[in-house]
Structure formats: C-alpha cells, structure tokens
Amino acid sequence: MRKTLLRGMRLIDPATATDERIDLLLADGVIAARGVDIVADQETRIVEFPGAVVAPGLVDMHVHLREPGREDEETIESGTLAAVHGGITTLAAMPNTEPTIDTPSWVEYVRSRGRLARVHPIAAITVGREGKALAPLAELAQAGAVAFSDDGCSVADANVMRRALQYASMIERTIIAHCEDPALVGAGVMNEGLASTRSGLSPIPAAAEETMVARDILLAGSVGARLHIAHVSTRGSVELVRRAKADGIAVTAETCPHYFSLTDDDVRSYDTSTRVNPPLRSADDVEAIKEGLRDGTIDAVASDHAPHSLEEKQVEFDAAPPGMIGMEVLLPLTITHMVDTGILSLGKAIALMTVQPARALGITAGTLETGAAADVVVFDPRAKVEITSDWFRSLSKNSPFIGSTLSGRVLITIHDGQIVFEEDLGTAQGSGEDHGKRAAESNELVVGV
Ligand SMILES: [Zn+2]
C-alpha cells in the first residue's frame, strides 16, 4: 500500500497531548511514524498545506443514517460520504431505522456497510424501541453493537431502564439516554419561554429534559452502570451532569453544535429546519452549554445528524419531523462558535470531537499515536466555508445553516490510509489513486489555501 507523508503542518492530537509542527507518516493503513524531517522515499505521496492543521479523523457519536427504511433521506453510503466531507472517519449510527436495529443481523448489516468511514452500530435498548421488552443486549453486543439507545424517545418505564443499565453494565456497554419525558413534552414543539409565547407554538419545558437526566443519573449510579446523556441542551442538565461527575457516577455527556450556536429566537422564522428534539433553548441555556464544554462537564460534541426529505419538512412547523443534518458542519460550527470566540483552544475543541467521544463509546479511535488506524483530517481552521444547499454531500438538505459563512475548511480526509475526501477534487471514493498519478511526476503535492 502506498505511503503518505503529511509534512510540516501543525499536528494536534489531544490523546497524546501533542500540539506541534511535526511530520506524520502513514503506511499500511496505520500511523507509521511521527517526528521532525521524516525522509520520504519515491513511493511516498506528500501532503503539505500551508496553514493547515493535522488532527485525528473526527468521531461523531450521534448520527442517523436512515438505512434501512428511509433510503430517500440518507443511506450508509451517502451518510459516510457526508461524514468524510466533514472530516469524520468514525461514526456511531442510531437504531431508529425501519425496521429498528434490534437484532444481531441488522447490527451486522449496518456495521459491515461503512466503506468510506467506520460505522459503529448503536442497537436499541428495547424491542422496536417500544420501551417494553429489553432487546437481546448480549447478542447485539456480540454482533458489534457499540452501545444501546432508544434515541428519539426516552425509555419511559424506569424499571425497564434500570434493568437495561444492569445488563449493559454486565457486558461492559454504555447506555445512551435520549432524555425527554414524553408526558412533559406532550404536544410541544419548541422551548418554553418568551419565544414560544410570541410564536404561539406549543412549548416544551426544560424540565422535560432535566427530570429524565436526573432519573437516569440516579438509576445508573444505583446499579453502577455507565451512562451517556445524548444532546444536553439546558442549564439544569449541565448542572446535573456536573454534580453526578463530582459524585463519582460514571456518566458522560454530549451536546450538539446547534445547542451552542442557535437559540429559541431562531425558531421565529418558523423555519422547520430549526425544529429539533430537544428543542433549541434560551440564550441563558446556550451560555451554560458553553461553560459545560469549557470546564469539561460535557465530554463530546456530536452532530445528531438527522436527515429529512424536503417534502417532510415543507409543512407547518408543528407537523415537521424533528432534526437537522449536521455531520458536515460539526467542525466549522465548533470552530466558529467555540474557538474563534476564545472559549476553547483548538486542541480542546478537537478533543471533544475525537478521543473523548471515543472513550465515551469505549472504542479505540480519535488518536494519532503510532500504530493507530491511519484516520486523519487535514483542515484549515481560518479558511471560510460558505454553506449552500449544493455544498452538502448528504442526500438531505435540512439545515438552518444554509446561507451562513463559517470558519474551518476540511481539505483532506484519510481513512485507513486512503484519501476518502479531497477538497475541490471531490471524493476519491476510497482509493486516492488518481491523485497518486497526478502527484507522481513531482513526488509532491502542495495545494495552497
Ligand atoms: Zn435523541
């Protein structure tokens, strides 16, 4: 297999506490060497971008790929194409497909179809995500389920949730909780507050999320299980996770870029792409999310990439399904709202999208240590990206960020040593061979930005 030398760029690898200008050599699909002035032989492709950063391929722990069942919205193929366009080389796929991923054969189906990026299936906690009978967790784990979640809804029955936590703990897997009490959500479609009063849309109180976060933390603590809270969106939830961690409970948490870059005021336009579960919150909640990311209470930034067709979203706000696409804007939104604003260092931001979600999932990924898989993203943190509908590689286009300009442009994404995305040249679909030919004459590739 061809070697690749990433030369003379700023290498940020939080897993090994590295932030320095060094070379990175990829060979045989793994990180072969790192250091200063690594010598390249004739066969080595050289990648060099002035001003760029080399980081581990991003790990997105919350993605909806829609296959099986809604291949008009996204497939594993199109979803991984979108992933690598966003610099993501490892993703965890939620089980709320049609049918639900609650059998070993469906887990195997999802796991084996990731070609451009590594796809880790998350299996359902309960059969059909109905919240009643536990799915066969041990067999699902055996087939490759990385974690369990009924994402899309909470497991309303506390006893079912408690037993799920106990079983998952025995087989050393994490339960990922979507925390929204169905009774408190009711017919609500947006955050309860001034904005909902003004808009006349049915409100969802912060307590709908916080009561479930509190319950699940108590249950996990009482049985000694590992719990991960998905898409934390309120000040109260951040505070509950902060206290649980201080109490030594094995809880981790994620938030999504839309919970630190948008507020419930953005729903004012009745743009259905701003309808998400949990809903966009108040400016005060956004401040608390940022603080939670800054002080380490929140472990990961995940996209909650949720593709929906145009037809489904072109309806009244309350009739639209919740969710927005997010993998391709994960990095630029985080750089623009958390790094450019001085809240996080670039290294801390990268940790939230690489090694920290990998640890929360209990997988080996998100590191550039020698011997690790050659999953790498090269990006320019200062280069601007104009978000247009055409720019997205996802099959769906439901994003409230269309029309905005963000910082942080992905230049190259490498998965298992192969270039799977390359700026301007489109996607080299897992080979990088064309590119090798072009670069062969000079043994060098320098693309200015
Ligand atoms: Zn969810």
Coordinates of all heavy atoms in Angstrom, one line a residue, residues 202-268:
S202 N -46.6 25.3 20.6 CA -46.7 24.6 21.8 C -45.4 24.4 22.5 O -44.4 24.0 21.8 CB -47.4 23.2 21.6 OG -48.6 23.3 20.9
P203 N -45.3 24.7 23.8 CA -44.0 24.7 24.4 C -43.6 23.4 25.1 O -44.4 22.6 25.4 CB -44.2 25.8 25.6 CG -45.6 25.6 25.9 CD -46.3 25.2 24.6
I204 N -42.2 23.2 25.2 CA -41.6 22.0 25.9 C -40.8 22.7 27.0 O -39.9 23.4 26.7 CB -40.7 21.2 25.0 CG1 -41.5 20.7 23.7 CG2 -40.1 20.1 25.8 CD1 -40.5 20.0 22.7
P205 N -41.1 22.4 28.3 CA -40.3 22.9 29.4 C -39.0 22.3 29.5 O -38.8 21.1 29.1 CB -41.2 22.6 30.6 CG -42.0 21.4 30.2 CD -42.2 21.5 28.7
A206 N -38.0 23.0 30.0 CA -36.7 22.5 30.3 C -36.8 21.2 31.2 O -36.0 20.3 31.1 CB -35.8 23.5 30.9
A207 N -37.8 21.2 32.0 CA -37.9 20.1 33.0 C -38.2 18.8 32.3 O -37.9 17.7 32.8 CB -39.1 20.4 34.0
A208 N -38.7 18.8 31.0 CA -39.0 17.6 30.3 C -37.7 16.9 30.1 O -37.6 15.6 30.2 CB -39.6 17.9 28.9
E209 N -36.6 17.6 29.9 CA -35.3 17.0 29.7 C -34.6 16.7 31.1 O -34.1 15.6 31.3 CB -34.3 18.0 28.9 CG -32.9 17.5 28.8 CD -32.1 18.4 27.9 OE1 -32.6 18.9 26.9 OE2 -30.9 18.6 28.2
E210 N -34.7 17.7 32.0 CA -33.9 17.6 33.2 C -34.4 16.5 34.2 O -33.7 15.9 34.8 CB -34.0 19.0 33.9 CG -33.1 20.0 33.1 CD -33.5 21.4 33.4 OE1 -34.4 21.7 34.3 OE2 -33.0 22.3 32.7
T211 N -35.8 16.3 34.2 CA -36.3 15.2 35.1 C -35.7 13.8 34.6 O -35.4 13.0 35.4 CB -37.8 15.2 35.1 OG1 -38.3 15.1 33.8 CG2 -38.4 16.4 35.8
M212 N -35.6 13.7 33.3 CA -35.1 12.4 32.8 C -33.6 12.3 33.0 O -33.1 11.2 33.3 CB -35.4 12.3 31.3 CG -36.8 11.7 31.0 SD -37.0 10.0 31.8 CE -38.6 9.6 31.2
V213 N -32.9 13.4 32.8 CA -31.4 13.4 33.1 C -31.2 13.0 34.6 O -30.4 12.1 34.9 CB -30.8 14.7 32.8 CG1 -29.3 14.8 33.3 CG2 -30.8 15.0 31.3
A214 N -32.0 13.6 35.4 CA -31.8 13.3 36.9 C -32.2 11.8 37.2 O -31.4 11.1 37.9 CB -32.8 14.2 37.7
R215 N -33.3 11.3 36.6 CA -33.7 9.9 36.8 C -32.6 9.0 36.3 O -32.2 8.0 37.1 CB -35.0 9.7 36.1 CG -35.5 8.3 36.3 CD -36.5 7.8 35.3 NE -35.8 7.4 34.1 CZ -36.4 6.8 33.0 NH1 -37.7 6.5 33.1 NH2 -35.7 6.4 31.9
D216 N -32.1 9.2 35.1 CA -31.2 8.2 34.6 C -29.9 8.2 35.3 O -29.2 7.2 35.4 CB -31.1 8.5 33.1 CG -32.3 8.0 32.3 OD1 -33.2 7.3 32.9 OD2 -32.5 8.4 31.1
I217 N -29.5 9.4 35.7 CA -28.2 9.5 36.5 C -28.4 8.7 37.8 O -27.5 8.0 38.2 CB -27.8 11.0 36.8 CG1 -27.2 11.6 35.5 CG2 -26.9 11.1 38.0 CD1 -27.0 13.1 35.6
L218 N -29.5 8.9 38.5 CA -29.8 8.2 39.8 C -29.8 6.7 39.5 O -29.2 5.9 40.3 CB -31.1 8.6 40.4 CG -31.2 10.0 41.0 CD1 -32.6 10.4 41.4 CD2 -30.3 10.0 42.2
L219 N -30.5 6.2 38.4 CA -30.5 4.8 38.1 C -29.1 4.3 37.8 O -28.8 3.2 38.4 CB -31.5 4.6 37.0 CG -33.0 4.8 37.2 CD1 -33.7 4.6 35.9 CD2 -33.5 3.8 38.3
A220 N -28.4 5.0 37.0 CA -27.0 4.5 36.7 C -26.1 4.4 37.9 O -25.4 3.5 38.1 CB -26.4 5.4 35.6
G221 N -26.2 5.4 38.7 CA -25.5 5.5 40.0 C -25.8 4.3 40.9 O -24.9 3.7 41.5
S222 N -27.1 4.0 41.0 CA -27.5 3.0 41.9 C -27.1 1.6 41.5 O -26.9 0.7 42.3 CB -29.1 3.0 42.1 OG -29.7 2.6 41.0
V223 N -27.0 1.3 40.2 CA -26.5 0.0 39.7 C -25.1 0.0 39.3 O -24.6 -1.1 38.8 CB -27.5 -0.6 38.6 CG1 -28.9 -0.6 39.1 CG2 -27.4 0.2 37.3
G224 N -24.4 1.1 39.3 CA -23.0 1.2 39.0 C -22.8 1.0 37.5 O -21.8 0.4 37.0
A225 N -23.7 1.5 36.6 CA -23.6 1.3 35.2 C -23.0 2.6 34.6 O -23.0 3.7 35.2 CB -24.9 1.0 34.6
R226 N -22.6 2.4 33.3 CA -22.1 3.6 32.5 C -23.2 4.2 31.7 O -23.9 3.5 31.0 CB -21.0 3.1 31.5 CG -19.6 3.6 31.9 CD -18.6 2.8 31.1 NE -18.8 2.6 29.7 CZ -18.1 1.7 29.0 NH1 -17.1 1.0 29.5 NH2 -18.3 1.5 27.7
L227 N -23.4 5.5 31.9 CA -24.5 6.2 31.2 C -23.9 7.3 30.4 O -23.1 8.1 30.9 CB -25.5 6.7 32.3 CG -26.6 7.6 31.8 CD1 -27.6 6.8 31.0 CD2 -27.3 8.3 33.0
H228 N -24.5 7.5 29.2 CA -24.1 8.7 28.4 C -25.4 9.4 28.1 O -26.4 8.9 27.6 CB -23.4 8.2 27.1 CG -23.1 9.4 26.2 ND1 -22.0 10.2 26.4 CD2 -23.7 9.9 25.1 CE1 -21.9 11.1 25.5 NE2 -23.0 11.0 24.7
I229 N -25.4 10.7 28.4 CA -26.5 11.6 28.1 C -26.4 12.2 26.7 O -25.4 12.9 26.5 CB -26.7 12.7 29.2 CG1 -26.6 12.2 30.6 CG2 -28.0 13.5 28.9 CD1 -27.8 11.5 31.1
A230 N -27.3 11.9 25.8 CA -27.3 12.5 24.5 C -27.7 13.9 24.5 O -28.5 14.3 25.4 CB -28.1 11.7 23.5
H231 N -27.3 14.7 23.5 CA -27.7 16.1 23.3 C -28.2 16.8 24.5 O -29.4 17.2 24.5 CB -28.7 16.1 22.1 CG -29.8 15.0 22.1 ND1 -30.6 14.7 23.2 CD2 -30.1 14.1 21.1 CE1 -31.4 13.7 22.8 NE2 -31.1 13.3 21.6
V232 N -27.3 17.2 25.4 CA -27.7 18.0 26.5 C -27.9 19.4 26.0 O -27.2 20.0 25.2 CB -26.5 18.0 27.5 CG1 -26.6 19.2 28.5 CG2 -26.4 16.7 28.2
S233 N -29.1 20.0 26.5 CA -29.4 21.3 25.9 C -29.8 22.4 26.9 O -30.0 23.5 26.6 CB -30.6 21.1 24.9 OG -31.8 20.9 25.6
T234 N -29.9 22.0 28.2 CA -30.3 23.1 29.2 C -29.3 23.3 30.3 O -28.5 22.4 30.6 CB -31.7 22.7 29.9 OG1 -31.4 21.6 30.8 CG2 -32.7 22.2 28.9
R235 N -29.4 24.4 30.9 CA -28.5 24.8 32.1 C -28.7 23.7 33.2 O -27.7 23.3 33.7 CB -28.9 26.2 32.6 CG -28.1 26.5 33.9 CD -28.4 28.0 34.3 NE -27.9 28.9 33.4 CZ -26.6 29.4 33.4 NH1 -25.8 28.9 34.3 NH2 -26.1 30.2 32.5
G236 N -29.9 23.3 33.4 CA -30.2 22.4 34.5 C -29.5 21.0 34.2 O -29.0 20.4 35.1
S237 N -29.6 20.6 33.0 CA -28.9 19.3 32.6 C -27.4 19.3 32.8 O -26.8 18.4 33.3 CB -29.2 18.9 31.2 OG -30.6 18.7 31.0
V238 N -26.8 20.5 32.4 CA -25.4 20.6 32.6 C -25.0 20.5 34.1 O -24.1 19.8 34.5 CB -24.9 22.0 32.0 CG1 -23.4 22.2 32.3 CG2 -25.1 22.0 30.5
E239 N -25.9 21.2 34.9 CA -25.6 21.2 36.3 C -25.8 19.8 36.9 O -25.0 19.4 37.8 CB -26.6 22.2 37.0 CG -26.3 22.4 38.5 CD -24.8 22.7 38.8 OE1 -24.2 23.4 38.1 OE2 -24.4 22.1 39.8
L240 N -26.8 19.0 36.5 CA -27.0 17.7 37.0 C -25.8 16.8 36.6 O -25.3 16.0 37.4 CB -28.3 17.1 36.4 CG -29.6 17.6 37.0 CD1 -30.8 17.3 36.0 CD2 -29.8 17.0 38.3
V241 N -25.3 16.9 35.4 CA -24.1 16.1 35.0 C -22.9 16.5 35.8 O -22.1 15.6 36.2 CB -23.9 16.2 33.4 CG1 -22.6 15.5 33.0 CG2 -25.0 15.7 32.6
R242 N -22.7 17.8 36.0 CA -21.6 18.3 36.7 C -21.6 17.7 38.1 O -20.6 17.2 38.6 CB -21.6 19.8 36.8 CG -20.4 20.5 37.3 CD -20.5 22.0 37.3 NE -20.2 22.6 36.0 CZ -21.1 23.4 35.3 NH1 -22.2 23.7 35.9 NH2 -20.8 23.8 34.2
R243 N -22.7 17.7 38.8 CA -22.8 17.2 40.1 C -22.6 15.6 40.2 O -22.0 15.1 41.0 CB -24.2 17.5 40.7 CG -24.2 18.6 41.8 CD -25.5 18.8 42.4 NE -26.4 19.6 41.6 CZ -27.7 19.6 41.8 NH1 -28.3 18.8 42.7 NH2 -28.5 20.4 41.0
A244 N -23.2 14.9 39.2 CA -23.0 13.5 39.1 C -21.6 13.1 39.0 O -21.1 12.2 39.6 CB -23.9 12.9 37.9
K245 N -20.8 13.9 38.1 CA -19.4 13.6 38.0 C -18.7 13.8 39.3 O -17.8 13.0 39.6 CB -18.8 14.4 36.8 CG -19.3 14.0 35.5 CD -18.5 14.7 34.4 CE -18.7 14.0 33.0 NZ -17.9 14.6 32.0
A246 N -19.0 14.9 39.9 CA -18.4 15.2 41.2 C -18.7 14.1 42.2 O -17.9 13.8 43.1 CB -18.9 16.5 41.7
D247 N -19.8 13.4 42.1 CA -20.2 12.3 43.0 C -19.6 11.0 42.6 O -19.9 10.0 43.2 CB -21.8 12.2 43.0 CG -22.4 13.4 43.8 OD1 -21.7 14.1 44.5 OD2 -23.7 13.5 43.6
G248 N -18.9 11.0 41.5 CA -18.2 9.8 41.1 C -19.1 8.8 40.2 O -18.7 7.7 40.1
I249 N -20.2 9.3 39.7 CA -21.0 8.5 38.9 C -20.4 8.4 37.5 O -19.9 9.4 37.0 CB -22.5 9.0 38.9 CG1 -23.1 8.8 40.3 CG2 -23.4 8.3 37.9 CD1 -24.4 9.6 40.5
A250 N -20.5 7.2 36.9 CA -19.9 7.0 35.5 C -20.7 7.6 34.4 O -21.3 6.8 33.6 CB -19.6 5.5 35.3
V251 N -20.9 8.9 34.4 CA -21.7 9.5 33.4 C -20.9 10.4 32.5 O -19.9 11.0 32.9 CB -22.9 10.3 34.1 CG1 -22.3 11.5 34.9 CG2 -23.8 10.9 33.0
T252 N -21.2 10.3 31.2 CA -20.6 11.2 30.2 C -21.8 11.9 29.5 O -22.9 11.5 29.6 CB -19.8 10.4 29.2 OG1 -20.5 9.4 28.6 CG2 -18.5 9.9 29.8
A253 N -21.4 13.0 28.8 CA -22.5 13.7 28.1 C -22.0 14.4 26.8 O -20.8 14.6 26.7 CB -23.0 14.8 29.1
E254 N -22.9 14.5 25.9 CA -22.6 15.2 24.7 C -23.6 16.4 24.5 O -24.7 16.4 25.1 CB -22.8 14.3 23.5 CG -24.2 14.2 23.0 CD -24.6 13.0 22.2 OE1 -23.9 12.0 22.1 OE2 -25.7 13.1 21.6
T255 N -23.1 17.4 23.7 CA -24.1 18.4 23.2 C -23.9 18.4 21.7 O -23.0 17.7 21.1 CB -23.9 19.7 23.9 OG1 -25.1 20.5 23.5 CG2 -22.6 20.4 23.4
C256 N -24.7 19.2 21.0 CA -24.6 19.3 19.5 C -24.3 20.8 19.2 O -24.8 21.7 19.9 CB -25.8 18.9 18.9 SG -26.5 17.3 19.5
P257 N -23.7 21.1 18.0 CA -23.4 22.5 17.7 C -24.6 23.4 17.7 O -24.5 24.5 18.1 CB -22.9 22.3 16.3 CG -22.2 21.0 16.2 CD -23.1 20.1 17.1
H258 N -25.8 22.9 17.4 CA -27.0 23.8 17.4 C -27.4 24.2 18.8 O -28.1 25.2 18.9 CB -28.2 23.2 16.6 CG -28.5 21.7 16.9 ND1 -27.8 20.7 16.2 CD2 -29.3 21.1 17.7 CE1 -28.3 19.5 16.6 NE2 -29.2 19.7 17.5
Y259 N -26.9 23.5 19.8 CA -27.3 24.0 21.2 C -26.3 25.0 21.7 O -26.5 25.6 22.8 CB -27.3 22.8 22.1 CG -28.4 21.8 21.7 CD1 -28.1 20.5 21.4 CD2 -29.8 22.3 21.6 CE1 -29.2 19.6 21.0 CE2 -30.8 21.4 21.2 CZ -30.5 20.1 20.9 OH -31.4 19.2 20.5
F260 N -25.2 25.3 21.0 CA -24.4 26.4 21.4 C -24.3 27.5 20.3 O -23.6 28.5 20.4 CB -23.0 26.0 21.8 CG -22.1 25.2 20.9 CD1 -21.6 25.8 19.8 CD2 -21.8 23.9 21.2 CE1 -20.8 25.0 18.9 CE2 -21.1 23.1 20.3 CZ -20.5 23.7 19.2
S261 N -25.0 27.3 19.1 CA -24.9 28.3 18.1 C -26.2 28.9 17.7 O -26.3 29.9 17.0 CB -24.3 27.7 16.8 OG -25.0 26.6 16.4
L262 N -27.3 28.3 18.2 CA -28.7 28.8 17.9 C -29.5 28.9 19.2 O -29.2 28.2 20.2 CB -29.4 27.9 17.0 CG -28.9 27.7 15.6 CD1 -29.7 26.6 14.8 CD2 -28.9 29.0 14.7
T263 N -30.5 29.8 19.3 CA -31.4 29.8 20.4 C -32.8 29.7 19.9 O -33.1 29.6 18.7 CB -31.3 31.2 21.2 OG1 -31.8 32.2 20.3 CG2 -29.9 31.5 21.5
D264 N -33.8 29.7 20.9 CA -35.2 29.5 20.5 C -35.7 30.8 19.7 O -36.7 30.7 19.1 CB -36.1 29.2 21.7 CG -35.9 30.2 22.9 OD1 -35.1 31.2 22.7 OD2 -36.5 30.0 23.9
D265 N -34.9 31.8 19.8 CA -35.3 33.0 18.9 C -35.2 32.7 17.5 O -35.8 33.3 16.6 CB -34.3 34.2 19.3 CG -35.0 35.2 20.2 OD1 -36.2 35.1 20.4 OD2 -34.3 36.0 20.8
D266 N -34.3 31.7 17.1 CA -34.1 31.4 15.7 C -35.3 30.6 15.1 O -35.4 30.4 13.9 CB -32.8 30.5 15.5 CG -31.6 31.4 15.8 OD1 -31.4 32.4 15.1 OD2 -30.9 31.1 16.8
V267 N -36.2 30.2 16.0 CA -37.4 29.5 15.6 C -38.4 30.5 15.0 O -39.4 30.1 14.3 CB -38.0 28.6 16.7 CG1 -39.3 27.9 16.3 CG2 -37.0 27.6 17.3
R268 N -38.2 31.8 15.3 CA -39.1 32.8 15.0 C -39.6 32.8 13.5 O -40.7 33.2 13.2 CB -38.5 34.2 15.3 CG -39.5 35.2 15.6 CD -38.9 36.5 16.2 NE -37.4 36.4 16.3 CZ -36.7 37.4 16.8 NH1 -37.3 38.5 17.2 NH2 -35.4 37.4 16.9

